Amino acid sequence: MAHYQTYETAWCPGCGNFSILRCLKTALEELGKDPTKVLIAAGIGQAAKTPQYISTNSFCGLHGRSLPAASAAKIANEELTVIVNTGDGDSYGEGGNHFIHTIRRNVDITHFVHDNQIYGLTKGQASPTTSEGHKTAVQTYGNRNTPLNPVLLAIASGAGFVARSFSGDPQHLTTIMKQAISYKGYALVDILQPCVSFNKINTYRYYKDRVYYLDEDHDPTDKMAAIQKSMEFDDHIPIGILYYEEKPDFHQKNPILSKGGPLYQKNCSKKDLEHLITEFI
Amino acid sequence: MYNILIGGAAGQGIDTTVTILERLLKKSGYYVYTTKDVMSRVRGGHNFSTIRFGDQAIYSHSNKLDGMIALNQETISEHRKKLNENGFILCDAKLQTEDAKAILLNMEEMAKELGDFRVSGSIAIGAILKLFGENLDYAKEVMSTTVKEAYIEINMKAISLGYHLVETRFPRKKGNFQDWMLLSGNSSIALGAIAAGLRFYSAYPMSPSTSIMEYLASKGTETNIVVEQAEDEIAAINMAIGASFAGARAMTATSGGGFSLMVEALGLSGIAEIPLVVANIQRPGPATGLPTRTEQSDLKFVISASQGEFPRMVIAIKDHRDAFYQTIRAFSLAEKYQIPVILLSDQYLADSTATVKPFPLDDFSMEPLPTISNIDAEDIEENYLRYRITEDGISPRRIPGETKAFVTADSDEHDEKGWITESAQMRIQMMDKRMRKLQNLQQELLEPLFLGAESCETLFIGWGSTYGPIREAVEILNQDDKGKYGALVFGDVFPLPTRELIKYSKTAKTLINVEQNATGQLAGLIREYTGIQCTQSILKYDGRQISAEEIVQQLQKGGR
Ligand SMILES: Cc1ncc(C[n+]2csc(CCOP(=O)(O)OP(=O)(O)O)c2C)c(N)n1
Ligand code: SF4
Ligand SMILES: [Mg+2]
């Protein structure tokens, strides 16, 4: 992995983020992506430090706001492979509104959510995916709110690529990552990621005991089947591509972008501007 | 100079009548200045527009009327007192007014007879043209650009019908403005952005900013501008930042409420040093305030919005022409200094139209983006430092994907490479580097515009859209008391240019700030940065733009 060299991280030993970072590098290598044409974007959080530990272009924006920024970067330059690596709190909590509307927009970006079912960086409060009853320093009697089901929400909102994987299964994760990056349009991979410091419930063992592979019996192009599968979580957690549908992405639907070529290199001619001015006369 | 008012309920077609009339008058050579006073509702209520026209430049509206087209009784009762001695009230006979000034025409009946009751407005237009000694030469041309093909003929009949119902009362004045543009403040901002090389515009609808997005969207395909309606203003500004990071000139616009949501991202543009242009088209607050009206109460907000400290620039737009040039300048400063630049306009400028000389396109040229040809060799290698510490504080900006350099952006404090750091020393170096950009920016500030008599005793001080009313007020006052009055009107408001202010404040005895807010925000800023104290203020915060006459009246009452 000469290209995507590693830096010293600020993650806890044993954290699931290490494996996700390794898989990301492998996926990019195996896809033959030129690192100078890759942009990794993130919000704020432990997961959101990922762009700092890989040598590509990087955009570490605001907590919850990576999706709009990443989408627009892709709109500005279609030649960039744009990947968002960020947390469950960042993606589904602070940025929840952007999550839904990014799906609707369907810009060709990939969204890897490091879903540790907790707020890691702020030291262990409930995230939107924290299970019911989970006690934290804030949820002192146990989390009373119903956990959000991100994959179900994504399918319902019209996402064309929705998958789940597990940081403890690097081979599976790398494969799914490659497929998600190659998908034309918005692709979500919700990655189960143990947080060894602040989530003592959803541990490596916890996930290991529950995950199972989606096999040929599951047809990811069957939306009803996908919805049904995406509702399985507590005792049996299916991993793999839950839903897959090819649909026109933002660039294909846009009359300027569908002509091809990076937007930032296009221009408006003086003649066209002159014409606009005369329209006011 | 003439001034007429067209008033009625929302949904009565005031806008179309005004649009046709203002274009006809301009085609005939007049300088036209139209303002809009609308309620925040789609039907009913009381809305009106005034069209002021003359053979010389006009800088603002006026409350003295030569006539009105009253589409309902309320228009008459509300505005009658503003009529000049020989002013007229053109209205439908069904209003049954016994007012001596009334010209009663059976417009609705006649329109129905023509085949469509909606063309009654065109009958009124015809009557107005005759009253002011116009001919019908341009009617067809203007109609064909404002109404649908199928309705041109019937509207032409209506205009001609109205034309023959009245006699000429006002002598025609011959202006020379037929080849000038009729431009709203918001259209001018949009044109400026296009001229500046805008490639990506994201926004969330909010009055009075929305017409910028609507204009850009309608011209996007031919001008290669992607316009995206965001899910909220937070997304809008973060999208603009993302696009700008990737090399596309980007902008967003909103009003105060939306700007409030954008605040955190303004700081992202500041610390990540990503060029950004944000227009805040002000309306009265707090919260939802008066959605369709005007105010200048966001000055102190936008100069300090967002946590922490970072360099920014705030430019207030003075008039319709200025809107174009300041928008171009905003893009150029944002890119040169890699900072957020905020344009402050307001509903008054946004929705009013003025007559503006067509912009000569050879006057300006935007700097090209930092392309491979205009950068140092060391900055295209892997050891490129996005946030290199430099003397002028400006670090080399690269476009991600163009070179071997990895381009970074970080909202955390970072080192020269762009990686998170908590080093105390690096923190100071980075803060100093960013703030150093202000030193050169200070040298580029535009001093406020001075108007009136050099040796004035009374100096008005204003900013942005009060330029027009202040300019007229100074002219009126100096007619009687030659040489007594002057004014300084700020365009660049932050950082605050102080040279002219210090100079004139030495000789003027009375300093009066004229502002469309309740607390005198510019006066406060001036006090903070210069210690200069305004001795009186004229403040207006009822959501309606101050006029020259009101400034004169307030002055005579001794200000507030
Ligand atoms: C506007 C804003 N609110 C709150 C925070 C504090 N904050 C930083 S990260 C975070 C949550 C992180 O959780 P998650 O996204 O799940 O990432 P993790 O650390 O678990 O990987 C919070 C609340 C912030 N940085 N900005
Ligand atoms: S706090 Fe949790 S998520 Fe963050 S590095 Fe440590 S183990 Fe990983
Ligand atoms: Mg988390």
Side-chain angles (χ1 to χ4, degrees):
Chain A
M1 269 183 250
H3 275 77
Y4 297 92
Q5 71 193 75
T6 309
Y7 300 85
E8 192 194 324
T9 76
W11 287 328
C12 315
C15 171
N17 279 327
F18 288 106
S19 161
I20 300 178
L21 177 62
R22 257 193 316 271
C23 293
L24 176 65
K25 288 177 180 175
T26 312
L28 288 168
E29 282 279 333
E30 290 184 8
L31 287 172
K33 294 278 178 191
D34 171 358
T36 65
K37 301 269 187 209
V38 174
L39 170 65
I40 314 269
I44 295 297
Q46 291 290 76
K49 287 181 182 153
T50 307
Q52 308 259 338
Y53 307 140
I54 179 168
S55 41
T56 61
N57 298 292
S58 66
F59 183 94
C60 295
L62 296 172
H63 183 44
R65 316 302 170 192
S66 56
L67 289 175
S71 300
K74 179 72 184 183
I75 292 170
N77 185 0
E78 60 171 23
E79 287 175 0
L80 295 174
T81 297
V82 179
I83 299 169
V84 177
N85 276 80
T86 200
D88 45 325
D90 196 89
S91 301
Y92 309 140
E94 188 90 29
N97 196 28
H98 308 312
F99 175 51
I100 301 166
H101 296 283
T102 300
I103 292 172
R104 294 181 48 231
R105 209 164 266 130
N106 201 29
V107 179
D108 184 16
I109 61 172
T110 311
H111 188 186
F112 294 136
V113 181
H114 304 207
D115 190 353
N116 53 11
Q117 299 188 253
I118 204 79
Y119 282 6
L121 185 64
T122 47
K123 300 194 177 2
Q125 305 80 20
S127 89
T129 52
T130 299
S131 43
E132 232 169 308
H134 189 146
K135 280 189 187 165
T136 77
V138 175
Q139 286 69 28
T140 49
Y141 294 96
N143 179 28
R144 296 189 188 109
N145 295 344
T146 310
L148 180 98
N149 183 334
V151 287
L152 180 61
L153 177 60
I155 297 170
S157 305
F161 186 106
V162 181
R164 181 166 257 154
S165 190
F166 172 37
S167 68
D169 189 341
Q171 216 173 348
H172 183 265
L173 179 56
T174 308
T175 310
I176 294 288
M177 278 181 159
K178 281 161 67 180
Q179 287 171 304
I181 295 168
S182 306
Y183 177 75
K184 197 142 183 54
Y186 169 82
L188 169 72
V189 185
D190 186 71
I191 305 166
L192 306 170
Q193 175 233 326
C195 165
V196 295
S197 299
F198 297 109
N199 189 338
K200 308 288 183 194
I201 294 176
N202 309 99
T203 58
Y204 176 81
R205 195 68 267 150
Y206 176 96
Y207 291 128
K208 189 85 196 153
D209 289 346
R210 285 165 175 80
V211 296
Y212 74 93
Y213 295 133
L214 284 166
D215 57 17
E216 292 81 59
D217 286 347
H218 176 64
D219 174 8
T221 63
D222 179 344
K223 201 164 195 166
M224 291 318 288
I227 286 174
Q228 225 152 25
K229 276 290 167 203
S230 70
M231 289 196 288
E232 271 181 45
F233 193 75
D234 294 325
D235 293 334
H236 300 283
I237 310 174
I239 58 173
I241 299 175
L242 289 155
Y243 186 61
Y244 185 93
E245 178 194 346
E246 279 171 25
K247 52 194 333 195
D249 73 353
F250 187 94
H251 286 66
Q252 288 165 324
K253 290 186 285 183
N254 184 284
I256 301 162
L257 301 174
S258 60
K259 286 187 221 140
L263 173 67
Y264 83 94
Q265 287 174 353
K266 295 181 189 282
N267 54 45
C268 162
S269 71
K270 249 184 186 163
K271 211 173 111 248
D272 285 330
L273 182 55
E274 247 159 39
H275 172 71
L276 295 182
I277 286 173
T278 53
E279 282 185 339
F280 286 97
I281 295 174
Chain B
M1 199 186 305
Y2 298 123
N3 192 20
I4 54 174
L5 179 146
I6 298 99
Q12 276 192 310
I14 299 176
D15 274 355
T16 320
T17 308
V18 169
T19 305
I20 295 171
L21 204 47
E22 66 175 2
R23 289 188 191 178
L24 280 168
L25 292 167
K26 210 260 320 179
K27 282 269 178 225
S28 148
Y30 280 112
Y31 190 108
V32 178
Y33 196 101
T34 309
T35 52
K36 293 211 168 96
D37 191 296
V38 258
M39 295 181 75
S40 182
R41 51 196 285 179
V42 180
R43 293 273 159 204
H46 174 62
N47 292 349
F48 68 90
S49 261
T50 58
I51 305 180
R52 219 175 162 199
F53 53 104
D55 53 5
Q56 314 246 312
I58 297 166
Y59 298 97
S60 66
H61 66 298
S62 160
N63 294 331
K64 287 188 193 142
L65 298 174
D66 295 294
M68 65 169 90
I69 304 176
L71 299 178
N72 60 8
Q73 183 60 46
E74 201 180 344
T75 305
I76 304 178
S77 39
E78 187 87 5
H79 303 287
R80 194 192 183 286
K81 58 185 178 299
K82 301 178 189 166
L83 279 177
N84 291 335
E85 229 169 288
N86 57 346
F88 64 89
I89 301 168
L90 182 70
C91 61
D92 201 280
K94 75 171 184 198
L95 289 189
Q96 294 184 333
T97 170
E98 279 165 20
D99 200 304
K101 291 189 187 311
I103 304 171
L104 293 166
L105 301 178
N106 243 328
M107 293 185 279
E108 269 191 36
E109 283 295 314
M110 288 186 275
K112 270 185 217 150
E113 269 166 42
L114 283 176
D116 191 335
F117 72 96
R118 286 172 302 182
V119 299
S120 66
S122 293
I123 300 180
I125 290 170
I128 293 283
L129 291 179
K130 184 68 165 293
L131 283 165
F132 288 91
E134 290 295 316
N135 53 42
L136 296 180
D137 289 359
Y138 306 102
K140 187 93 189 238
E141 186 189 337
V142 169
M143 268 302 166
S144 64
T145 58
T146 35
V147 304
K148 288 206 189 88
E149 180 82 41
Y151 294 97
I152 296 177
E153 202 187 310
I154 186 167
N155 274 290
M156 284 305 297
K157 279 188 193 156
I159 287 196
S160 158
L161 186 64
Y163 192 82
H164 293 102
L165 294 174
V166 293
E167 292 304 322
T168 294
R169 289 197 190 177
F170 302 88
R172 174 157 185 256
K173 301 188 174 178
K174 187 85 188 88
N176 246 328
F177 298 99
Q178 56 278 2
D179 296 329
W180 287 31
M181 301 179 288
L182 209 49
L183 200 59
S184 75
N186 273 0
S187 307
S188 189
I189 289 177
L191 275 184
I194 297 172
L198 178 73
R199 293 276 75 81
F200 181 79
Y201 184 89
S202 47
Y204 187 82
M206 185 170 193
S207 299
S209 69
T210 316
S211 56
I212 300 176
M213 175 157 59
E214 286 170 345
Y215 181 74
L216 290 172
S218 74
K219 304 295 175 192
T221 312
E222 57 193 277
T223 53
N224 278 325
I225 295 168
V226 171
V227 176
E228 182 63 5
Q229 182 179 322
E231 55 271 28
D232 55 33
E233 288 85 351
I234 302 176
I237 190 169
N238 280 283
M239 286 182 118
I241 291 172
S244 177
F245 168 77
R249 292 205 169 109
M251 174 180 178
T252 181
T254 182
S255 193
F259 196 90
S260 297
L261 296 183
M262 293 181 176
V263 163
E264 190 190 17
L266 203 64
L268 171 61
S269 157
I271 192 168
E273 307 192 49
I274 298 171
L276 176 70
V277 176
V278 185
N280 175 356
I281 317 298
Q282 299 163 98
R283 70 191 217 188
T288 313
L290 292 166
T292 57
R293 304 201 176 273
T294 202
E295 201 160 272
Q296 297 182 301
S297 50
D298 293 349
L299 175 60
K300 285 214 167 164
F301 170 45
V302 303
I303 65 169
S304 57
S306 208
Q307 69 273 28
E309 297 160 308
F310 55 91
R312 78 183 83 194
M313 168 91 186
V314 182
I315 304 171
I317 289 167
K318 291 199 283 284
D319 65 16
H320 302 73
R321 182 179 175 277
D322 194 42
F324 178 80
Y325 289 105
Q326 293 309 331
T327 303
I328 295 172
R329 185 164 162 258
F331 275 92
S332 137
L333 291 173
E335 218 157 89
K336 180 169 176 192
Y337 294 101
Q338 302 174 22
I339 55 168
V341 177
I342 299 158
L343 288 167
L344 273 180
S345 181
D346 53 32
Q347 182 272 331
Y348 179 72
L349 287 182
D351 293 342
S352 60
T353 45
T355 310
V356 180
K357 194 171 181 180
F359 303 118
L361 295 185
D362 298 325
D363 265 17
F364 60 87
S365 66
M366 280 300 290
E367 300 286 318
L369 286 166
T371 49
I372 302 170
S373 55
N374 62 4
I375 57 181
D376 298 340
E378 61 176 302
D379 292 330
I380 56 170
E381 296 302 328
E382 279 154 42
N383 55 4
Y384 158 66
L385 297 175
R386 168 65 188 95
Y387 297 101
R388 195 167 72 212
I389 296 187
T390 57
E391 218 168 292
D392 60 6
I394 302 169
S395 309
R397 176 170 171 239
R398 296 290 78 91
I399 306 301
E402 274 201 342
T403 63
K404 277 192 242 150
F406 292 126
V407 185
T408 55
D410 201 346
S411 74
D412 281 278
E413 189 56 277
H414 41 258
D415 59 17
E416 290 184 279
K417 194 102 185 135
W419 303 136
I420 290 189
T421 182
E422 296 198 25
S423 144
Q425 194 196 351
M426 185 50 74
R427 161 68 175 177
I428 293 170
Q429 285 183 326
M430 276 297 155
M431 277 295 282
D432 290 348
K433 176 192 103 69
R434 289 190 292 266
M435 296 314 279
R436 246 190 335 267
K437 295 193 271 189
L438 284 170
Q439 290 172 1
N440 282 340
L441 182 62
Q442 289 277 2
Q443 306 304 313
E444 287 199 50
L445 294 180
L446 297 179
E447 287 291 326
L449 200 65
F450 180 80
L451 307 162
E454 274 294 323
S455 55
C456 58
E457 288 171 21
T458 299
L459 182 71
F460 293 104
I461 296 169
W463 60 282
S465 73
T466 49
Y467 160 69
I470 291 174
R471 179 179 175 136
E472 255 187 66
V474 168
E475 279 168 16
I476 297 170
L477 290 163
N478 277 340
Q479 276 167 9
D480 297 339
D481 289 301
K482 268 209 170 30
K484 266 185 80 175
Y485 297 92
L488 279 177
V489 184
F490 286 80
D492 288 2
V493 278
F494 193 82
L496 187 75
T498 54
R499 195 187 64 225
E500 294 289 288
L501 182 69
I502 292 170
K503 179 179 133 195
Y504 286 101
S505 67
K506 282 189 182 135
T507 49
K509 286 199 202 99
T510 313
L511 302 188
I512 307 176
N513 61 309
V514 181
E515 301 185 59
Q516 247 358 96
N517 58 53
T519 52
Q521 298 191 15
L522 178 67
L525 207 61
I526 288 175
R527 229 170 20 248
E528 180 181 344
Y529 284 94
T530 64
I532 294 167
Q533 183 99 23
C534 290
T535 46
Q536 286 176 35
S537 356
I538 297 178
L539 302 174
K540 194 168 194 282
Y541 43 90
D542 60 359
R544 279 83 175 161
Q545 185 79 353
I546 199 162
S547 65
E549 299 117 29
E550 281 175 274
I551 296 175
V552 173
Q553 269 169 20
Q554 289 285 338
L555 177 79
Q556 280 150 6
K557 276 197 234 158
R560 291 165 19 95

